[in-house]
């Protein structure tokens, strides 16, 4: 793995931790980390071009809020908090760097990885009281597993489409 892929992974994990722990209070640090990432990124143009991936994630999270799968304090059901929007942007950048290897896997494997790790990420946030849910933990896990089993392969293919269309 190239050095910047490790930096990208570290920036994403740090953003996730800051978002989960401090939410709105972490926004200045999150913005600074995003600027550092972008400053050192070897593919700035591609990092901008993959931001539609973030938009898809934002729409999915918005739908999850409307359905009350996730209920974020101090947030109406119509708006996601800014820290979550930024987190989706950083995740989109991961497809150019630390998650690039996903494009070499079959969709079934990517789907399985999404079902496990996407769900774990949201379940960890639920356990940290970043948000609550109107659903029981079991239903929450099932819903998130289905969402991420579909979402991660879609985002991976969307990344491939964006990158190939820029050539």
């Amino acid at each position: 793995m190239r050095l910047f892929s490790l930096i990208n992974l570290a920036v994403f994990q740090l953003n996730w931790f800051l978002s989960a722990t401090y939410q709105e209070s972490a926004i200045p640090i999150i913005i600074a980390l995003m600027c550092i990432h972008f400053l050192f990124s070897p593919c700035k143009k591609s990092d901008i071009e993959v931001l539609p991936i973030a938009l898809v994630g934002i729409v999915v999270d918005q739908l999850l809020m409307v359905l009350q799968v996730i209920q974020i304090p101090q947030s109406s059901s119509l708006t996601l908090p800014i820290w979550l929007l930024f987190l989706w942007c950083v995740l989109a950048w991961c497809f150019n760097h630390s998650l690039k290897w996903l494009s070499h896997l079959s969709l079934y494997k990517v789907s399985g990885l999404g079902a496990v790790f996407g769900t774990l990420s949201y379940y960890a946030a639920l356990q940290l009281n970043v948000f609550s849910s109107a659903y029981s933990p079991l239903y929450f896990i099932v819903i998130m597993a289905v969402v991420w089993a579909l979402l991660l392969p879609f985002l991976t293919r969307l990344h491939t489409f964006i990158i190939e269309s820029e050539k």
Side-chain angles (χ1 to χ4, degrees):
M1 185 180 276
R2 292 180 31 203
L3 176 61
F4 191 78
S5 291
L6 294 174
I7 292 169
N8 170 260
L9 178 63
V11 166
F12 175 76
Q13 293 301 322
L14 188 54
N15 272 306
W16 189 96
F17 175 78
L18 290 168
S19 295
T21 307
Y22 300 105
Q23 290 109 22
E24 300 295 327
S25 302
I27 291 173
I29 300 168
I30 291 168
I31 291 171
L33 285 169
M34 290 175 71
C35 289
I36 289 167
H37 176 281
F38 194 74
L39 180 67
F40 291 105
S41 176
C43 52
K44 293 172 182 60
K45 183 177 181 242
S46 292
D47 284 349
I48 291 170
E49 290 172 342
V50 299
L51 287 177
I53 291 171
L55 184 59
V56 171
I58 290 165
V59 168
V60 169
D61 271 354
Q62 186 65 59
L63 180 61
L64 291 171
M65 280 185 69
V66 168
L67 297 173
Q68 297 184 342
V69 176
I70 59 175
Q71 299 170 316
I72 301 173
Q74 293 98 26
S75 185
S76 76
S77 63
L78 300 177
T79 58
L80 291 174
I82 192 80
W83 56 264
L84 189 52
L85 303 177
F86 288 150
L87 189 59
W88 273 108
C89 291
V90 176
L91 180 64
W93 291 342
C94 289
F95 285 92
N96 279 343
H97 306 287
S98 59
L99 293 179
K100 195 171 190 171
W101 57 274
L102 288 175
S103 65
H104 303 292
L105 298 178
S106 72
L107 287 180
Y108 295 110
K109 289 179 182 176
V110 175
S111 181
L113 289 169
V116 172
F117 293 105
T119 302
L120 281 174
S121 178
Y122 276 73
Y123 188 70
L126 181 67
Q127 295 303 303
L128 290 170
N129 295 316
V130 175
F131 54 77
S132 60
S133 179
Y135 298 87
S136 72
L138 178 62
Y139 283 135
F140 177 84
I141 289 169
V142 169
I143 291 167
M144 295 312 294
V146 170
V147 166
W148 276 94
L150 299 171
L151 185 59
L152 191 60
F154 179 78
L155 296 178
T156 302
R157 290 293 182 199
L158 179 57
H159 174 260
T160 301
F161 175 77
I162 291 168
I163 296 304
E164 288 179 359
S165 66
E166 79 178 45
K167 292 181 180 178

